[in-house]
């Protein structure tokens, strides 16, 4: 019996070693797999942190959007950089998801990395153990104990945690993205050391819808993740963009059909793939996939159906050939700018700001766009109109501050919106 | 007709992984070992399978590559399940705890290894496996569109595995011995069957199939693997119980679950259902409610293997 146990233990060990060896092998031959995987194969990241030289491996997602980045480090610097006591001045607390989610958290983290590398600051990130106010506050406390002077928190889920801690640590600056601190009642309660950064997502959505119709698509789809404010704004902007383009093209009422839904998660699940496949089956030509990993499901369905996808948040052109463009918000620039304002003394706290096209924070990807008919000139023209404020786009809240819950509450003359629940 | 074909094609995406993994679960449980670690096995299989695809796609493409990747996934599940088999058979540990440990280990490992290898936890792969139409077979009227168009080879692999697994457990002496170990290991022992060996075999087969199921799950539904199979391993357990540990009932259960999943997510493309005033959430709930009802009514007449979950002690008979 005893020998048997020893034997089995040996077997188990062999298996573990086998796994490790297999991993090692795969890592060792990155050179003979020069294809699609343009992620940096060599991620022996820890040492690199104190030598931020530019590795020239093209990083998949962040490269294209940085039109204005002075020194963008090509990797994610996952280990951060600490001083000799293990402390870091700038700390990011992640929301649901990780710093390599190719979307929201990653964009914010890249902003931190960009500033910290360029200005030789120490930085790191914390990942809360679970999604709860308590866990988020815990992570914030941990970061401050670890020497953080600036805390970056991506996601509206941080609204209440930041509200709770902002007055306890008057010397610490809080940068909250996609929301503003409040006590749970949505009445802004922002201390001078905090700032709430919102984006005019409806503008990006508008450009996406506008471009899709001008490109020649008539059957559109919008698959949002959860109906959180940012996703809703993307969606309503998308509808308005399609409407305005239809008017410009002189289309008749009913020529444009838009299927509209929130899938209720941010997952790449077979359910989402199946829903996208069913829309394509019914004749939808392009789907605006607006919800994190939902995008990979939609892209899969599009690849099978020879249809098209519009990406979201960051430029997702590299993820699939089917991505014709992406509705983006420049998280990286916003985080970088906010941190810079703290160090150069121009910080204006106590407010929530909405970053929009007028300062280049919202856009769609043109340089990596796969358009055949929609031209850069058309894009520049509509963008100028947007910046000039000549375009009215519905938001997630009405004039009286009430939430607009359903797209069917909006009125359109030309496009037909099919709300799918 | 195109609608029916579409529904069948989509149902395959859900049903085939469930079928493969549930058949694996059946092997383990009918040998007497509960394997709740199927979800973990799927995640491990999906991870190594996509890593293999990712690394090899410059050298190979098409069905050969996918078949090799399925083999890699299966072997991973096989090796991974050695832990579970050792703990539950040799050490006589609580099988649910050991399986749970595997479920917790697998996603963590996939995230860790993914970051080590690629810098991100997502492992992308290029899809060169989609079959728009199988030559000749795809032209058969009715049957062609249903089974031989817009499919993945995993569908056919899944059916092959099913029939092979059914044959082995029902028609061979190995299968008979395996089943005996799950029903009455003491009796099996008296006629000279090595209970430990049979249980090892059953558990490792379940690991192999869960690994294959993991890749069969990811390839048709995503462009990358992301250290999760969204609980489909647990769903496969439900399918196995719904199917009362019997091959053909499991086949029926897998397609019932798959059909309901398809209807719930693709109902807007199905004309008859679209006009019904039933919210999609109802369809999402049906498989689970059905499982509960079956469990309630079948609890007295459950066909669960009598000795499953109980470590075999020679002295205890």
């Amino acid at each position: 019996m005893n020998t048997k146990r020893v034997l089995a233990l040996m077997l188990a060990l062999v298996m573990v070693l086998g796994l490790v060896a297999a991993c090692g092998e795969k890592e060792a031959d990155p050179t003979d797999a020069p294809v699609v995987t343009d992620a940096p194969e060599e991620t022996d990241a820890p040492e690199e942190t104190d030598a931020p030289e530019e590795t020239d491996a093209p990083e998949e997602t962040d490269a294209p959007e940085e039109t204005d980045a002075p020194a963008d480090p090509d990797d994610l610097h996952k280990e951060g950089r600490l001083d000799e006591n293990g402390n870091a001045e700038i700390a990011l607390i992640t929301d649901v998801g990780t710093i390599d989610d190719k979307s929201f958290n990653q964009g914010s983290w890249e902003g931190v990395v960009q500033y910290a590398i360029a200005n030789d600051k120490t930085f790191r990130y914390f990942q809360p153990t679970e999604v709860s106010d308590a866990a988020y506050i815990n992570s914030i406390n941990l970061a401050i104990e670890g020497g953080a002077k600036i805390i970056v928190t991506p996601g509206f889920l941080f609204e209440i945690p930041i509200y709770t801690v902002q007055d306890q640590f008057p010397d610490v600056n809080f940068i909250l993205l996609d929301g503003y601190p409040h006590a749970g009642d949505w009445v802004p309660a922002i201390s001078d050391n905090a700032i709430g950064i919102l984006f005019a997502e409806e503008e990006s959505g508008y450009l996406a819808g506008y471009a899709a119709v001008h490109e020649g698509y008539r059957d559109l789809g919008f698959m949002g993740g959860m109906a959180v404010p940012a996703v809703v704004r993307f969606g309503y902007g998308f509808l308005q963009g399609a409407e305005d383009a239809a008017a410009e093209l002189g289309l008749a009422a009913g020529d444009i059909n838009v299927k509209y839904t929130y899938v209720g998660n941010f997952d790449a699940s077979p359910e989402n793939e199946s829903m996208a496949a069913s829309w394509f089956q019914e004749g939808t030509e392009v789907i605006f996939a607006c919800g994190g990993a939902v995008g990979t499901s939609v892209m899969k369905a599009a690849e099978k159906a020879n249809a098209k996808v519009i990406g979201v948040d960051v430029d997702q052109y590299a993820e699939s050939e089917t991505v014709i463009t992406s509705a983006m918000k420049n998280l990286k620039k916003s985080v970088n700018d906010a941190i810079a304002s703290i160090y150069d003394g121009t910080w204006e706290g106590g407010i929530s700001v909405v970053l929009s096209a007028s300062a280049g924070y919202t856009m769609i990807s043109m340089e990596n766009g796969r358009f055949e008919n929609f031209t850069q000139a058309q894009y520049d023209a509509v963008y100028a109109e947007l910046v000039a404020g000549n375009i009215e786009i519905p938001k997630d809240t009405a004039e009286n501050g009430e939430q607009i819950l359903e797209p069917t509450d909006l009125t359109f003359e030309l496009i037909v919106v099919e709300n799918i629940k | 007709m195109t609608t029916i074909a579409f529904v069948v094609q989509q149902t395959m995406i859900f049903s085939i992984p469930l079928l493969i993994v549930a058949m694996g679960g059946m092997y383990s449980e009918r040998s007497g070992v509960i394997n709740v670690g199927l979800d973990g096995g799927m995640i491990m299989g999906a991870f190594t399978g996509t890593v293999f695809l990712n690394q090899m796609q410059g050298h190979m493409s098409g069905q050969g590559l996918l078949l090799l990747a399925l083999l890699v996934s299966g072997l991973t599940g096989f090796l991974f399940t050695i832990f579970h088999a050792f703990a539950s058979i040799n050490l006589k540990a609580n099988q649910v705890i050991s399986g749970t440990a595997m479920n917790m280990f697998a996603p963590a490992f996939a995230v860790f290894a993914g970051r080590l290898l690629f810098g991100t936890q997502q492992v992308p792969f290029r899809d060169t496996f989609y079959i728009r139409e199988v030559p000749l077979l795809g032209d058969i009227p009715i049957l062609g569109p249903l089974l031989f168009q817009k499919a993945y080879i995993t569908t056919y692999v899944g059916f092959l595995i099913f029939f092979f697994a059914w044959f082995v457990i029902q028609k061979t002496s190995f299968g008979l011995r395996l089943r005996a170990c799950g029903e009455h290991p003491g009796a099996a022992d008296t006629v000279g069957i090595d209970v430990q060996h049979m249980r090892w075999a059953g558990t490792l087969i379940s690991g192999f199939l869960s690994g294959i199921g993991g890749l069969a799950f990811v390839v048709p539904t995503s462009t990358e693997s992301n250290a999760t199979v969204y609980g489909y391993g647990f769903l496969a357990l439900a399918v196995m119980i719904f199917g009362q540990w019997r091959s053909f009932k499991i086949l029926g259960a897998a397609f019932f679950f798959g059909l309901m999943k398809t209807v719930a997510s693709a109902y807007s493309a199905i004309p008859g259902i679209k006009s019904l005033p039933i919210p999609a959430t109802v369809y999402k709930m049906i498989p689970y409610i059905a499982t509960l009802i079956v469990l309630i009514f079948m609890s007295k007449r459950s066909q669960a293997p009598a000795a499953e979950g109980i470590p075999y002690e020679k002295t205890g008979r």
Side-chain angles (χ1 to χ4, degrees):
Chain A
M1 189 61 222
N2 225 341
T3 52
K4 205 178 226 176
R5 286 193 183 189
V6 171
L7 194 73
L9 189 66
M10 295 285 284
L11 259 177
L13 273 176
V14 165
M15 182 221 147
V16 173
L17 288 176
L19 265 181
V20 172
C23 297
E25 255 171 55
K26 272 160 197 157
E27 191 176 30
D29 61 61
T31 40
D32 51 19
V35 251
V36 189
T37 65
D38 36 11
E41 308 276 347
E42 307 289 20
T43 37
D44 319 319
E47 315 88 335
E48 295 180 47
T49 45
D50 44 2
E53 84 279 55
E54 307 290 6
T55 51
D56 46 9
E59 225 287 332
E60 303 193 79
T61 51
D62 61 348
E65 68 183 302
E66 274 62 73
T67 43
D68 47 357
D72 60 331
D74 273 327
D75 65 36
L76 281 173
H77 291 272
K78 289 211 177 63
E79 311 298 320
R81 178 167 46 185
L82 307 175
D83 65 12
E84 63 275 14
N85 301 322
N87 291 344
E89 266 181 47
I90 308 173
L92 177 133
I93 322 282
T94 64
D95 193 5
V96 190
T98 57
I99 57 156
D100 49 19
D101 62 1
K102 297 177 182 168
S103 178
F104 199 68
N105 290 296
Q106 179 167 337
S108 312
W109 176 245
E110 284 168 358
V112 171
V113 173
Q114 184 187 21
Y115 185 86
I117 294 293
N119 296 284
D120 203 23
K121 303 289 181 194
T122 53
F123 64 101
R124 66 176 301 187
Y125 76 95
F126 293 83
Q127 189 150 8
T129 49
E130 58 174 33
V131 180
S132 72
D133 288 355
Y136 284 8
I137 291 171
N138 230 340
S139 295
I140 293 168
N141 285 328
L142 210 61
I144 293 171
E145 262 171 50
K149 294 273 165 270
I150 297 169
I151 304 230
V152 181
T153 53
F156 72 101
L157 289 175
F158 281 99
E159 289 178 336
I160 295 172
I162 297 293
Y163 168 80
T164 314
V165 298
Q166 60 185 359
D167 294 328
Q168 294 171 19
F169 304 102
D171 299 335
V172 177
N173 288 106
F174 295 97
I175 299 168
L176 175 53
L177 296 150
D178 253 12
Y180 53 85
H182 62 74
D185 51 9
W186 286 278
V187 177
I190 311 168
S191 299
D192 285 343
N193 57 331
I195 189 172
I197 296 178
L198 300 161
F199 291 87
E201 285 92 356
E202 69 275 9
E203 295 179 343
S204 304
Y206 180 91
L207 293 167
Y210 183 88
V213 170
H214 268 291
E215 175 70 7
Y217 297 113
R218 297 293 174 262
D219 279 298
L220 317 178
F222 173 85
M223 275 178 77
M226 293 177 191
V228 298
V231 171
V232 174
R233 284 197 291 269
F234 268 122
Y236 292 176
F238 184 67
L239 295 176
Q240 187 64 49
E243 168 86 9
D244 288 3
E248 281 179 25
L249 291 172
L251 298 177
D255 277 358
I256 307 275
N257 286 292
V258 189
K259 284 188 162 55
Y260 193 103
T261 199
Y262 306 109
V263 296
N265 57 59
F266 293 106
D267 299 336
S269 66
E271 284 85 353
N272 293 339
E273 193 272 344
S274 208
M275 177 174 266
S278 74
W279 288 15
F280 289 135
Q281 164 79 12
E282 279 186 285
T284 302
E285 296 160 292
V286 58
I287 292 180
F288 180 17
C290 184
V294 172
T296 57
S297 296
V298 179
M299 287 169 209
K300 187 73 185 190
E303 284 174 10
K304 292 197 225 170
N306 286 328
K308 299 297 178 193
V309 180
I310 296 171
V312 77
D313 280 349
V314 295
D315 198 336
Q316 297 182 315
Y317 78 102
E319 312 246 324
S320 167
E321 289 289 319
T322 59
V323 177
I324 53 168
T325 188
S326 302
M328 304 191 286
K329 46 185 181 182
N330 202 335
L331 291 157
K332 183 172 175 176
K333 177 169 151 65
S334 68
V335 170
N336 182 69
D337 292 354
I339 296 174
S341 78
I342 295 167
Y343 282 108
D344 62 24
T346 55
W347 165 267
E348 270 184 65
I351 51 168
S352 72
V353 293
V354 178
L355 302 180
S356 64
S358 54
Y361 286 100
T362 53
M363 71 212 87
I364 61 171
S365 167
M366 286 304 288
E367 69 253 52
N368 294 312
R370 297 186 174 97
F371 291 115
E372 281 165 15
N373 305 320
F374 185 65
T375 62
Q376 183 72 38
Q378 281 175 303
Y379 178 71
D380 291 341
V382 68
Y383 203 86
E385 288 288 300
L386 207 55
V387 171
N390 296 336
I391 298 174
E392 241 179 79
I393 311 174
K395 298 187 179 209
D396 57 317
T397 49
E399 302 263 314
N400 57 10
E402 269 178 38
Q403 293 266 308
I404 304 173
L405 294 171
E406 301 291 345
T408 41
D409 294 340
L410 305 169
T411 44
F412 298 107
E413 286 171 7
L414 297 177
I415 63 171
V416 178
V417 180
E418 186 183 348
N419 192 21
I420 294 172
K421 283 193 185 173
Chain B
M1 187 60 216
T2 49
T3 309
I4 296 172
F6 172 74
V7 170
V8 172
Q9 289 152 5
Q10 284 302 127
T11 304
M12 293 296 174
I13 291 176
F14 293 99
S15 299
I16 293 298
L18 288 176
L19 177 67
I20 297 172
V21 179
M23 289 303 280
M26 181 186 80
Y27 264 83
S28 175
E29 302 226 340
R30 296 198 76 177
S31 77
V33 180
I34 295 175
N35 187 359
V36 296
L38 292 174
D39 203 66
M42 283 181 80
I43 293 171
M44 294 296 283
F47 174 72
T48 56
T50 45
V51 167
F52 182 79
L53 289 177
N54 183 303
Q55 295 296 313
M56 296 304 290
Q57 60 195 3
H59 310 287
M60 308 173 59
S61 66
Q63 308 306 333
L65 176 59
L66 182 56
L67 289 174
L68 271 181
L70 284 169
L71 194 64
V72 169
S73 297
L75 285 176
T76 310
F78 180 90
L79 292 172
F80 183 61
T81 313
I82 289 178
F83 289 118
H84 181 59
F86 180 68
S88 50
I89 301 169
N90 294 68
L91 301 181
K92 305 190 192 326
N94 185 316
Q95 298 168 7
V96 175
I97 303 288
S98 152
T100 306
M102 289 173 46
N103 285 335
M104 292 164 90
F105 172 81
F109 175 83
V111 170
F112 175 75
R115 290 198 175 180
L116 211 62
L117 293 173
F118 301 102
T120 64
Q121 70 184 54
Q122 296 93 348
V123 184
F125 61 90
R126 198 170 51 199
D127 183 351
T128 51
F129 326 116
Y130 188 52
I131 305 170
R132 295 202 180 277
E133 193 172 341
V134 180
L136 296 178
L137 293 173
D139 296 328
I140 304 172
I142 302 178
L143 215 56
L146 290 181
L147 294 174
F148 300 108
Q149 289 182 11
K150 299 181 184 168
Y152 281 89
I153 203 165
T154 50
T155 301
Y156 313 120
V157 171
F159 280 117
L160 277 179
I161 286 175
F162 170 77
F163 285 111
F164 186 69
W166 163 77
F167 181 80
V168 168
I169 202 159
Q170 218 59 41
K171 304 284 175 192
T172 64
S173 59
F174 168 80
L176 181 67
R177 287 173 188 168
L178 188 101
R179 284 182 282 143
C181 292
E183 296 295 339
H184 201 313
D189 200 3
T190 54
V191 295
I193 299 171
D194 189 329
V195 176
Q196 310 288 64
H197 276 176
M198 293 315 279
R199 289 191 165 179
W200 265 91
T203 312
L204 293 181
I205 290 170
S206 83
F208 187 80
L209 293 184
S210 69
I212 289 183
L215 192 63
F217 172 86
V218 166
V219 165
T221 60
S222 187
T223 58
E224 58 190 25
S225 74
N226 191 11
T228 175
V229 291
Y230 301 100
Y232 268 67
F234 296 103
L235 203 58
L237 274 178
V239 165
M240 181 192 69
I241 295 169
F242 192 71
Q244 291 289 302
W245 294 267
R246 298 296 181 273
S247 305
F248 279 93
K249 286 184 182 171
I250 287 176
L251 180 72
F255 276 89
F256 173 70
F257 273 57
L259 183 65
M260 284 303 136
K261 285 269 177 195
T262 306
V263 170
S265 44
Y267 75 102
S268 73
I270 309 170
I273 290 172
K274 195 178 181 181
S275 50
L276 293 178
I278 303 172
T281 28
V282 173
Y283 300 111
K284 283 183 187 158
M285 287 188 292
I286 285 177
Y288 306 98
I289 294 174
T291 308
L292 280 177
I293 292 173
V294 167
L295 284 178
I296 291 165
F297 285 102
M298 299 296 278
S299 57
K300 283 251 169 60
R301 299 187 290 119
S302 170
Q303 292 176 298
E308 70 165 342
I310 309 161
Y312 178 59
E313 303 272 2
K314 267 184 193 274
T315 49
R317 82 171 176 251

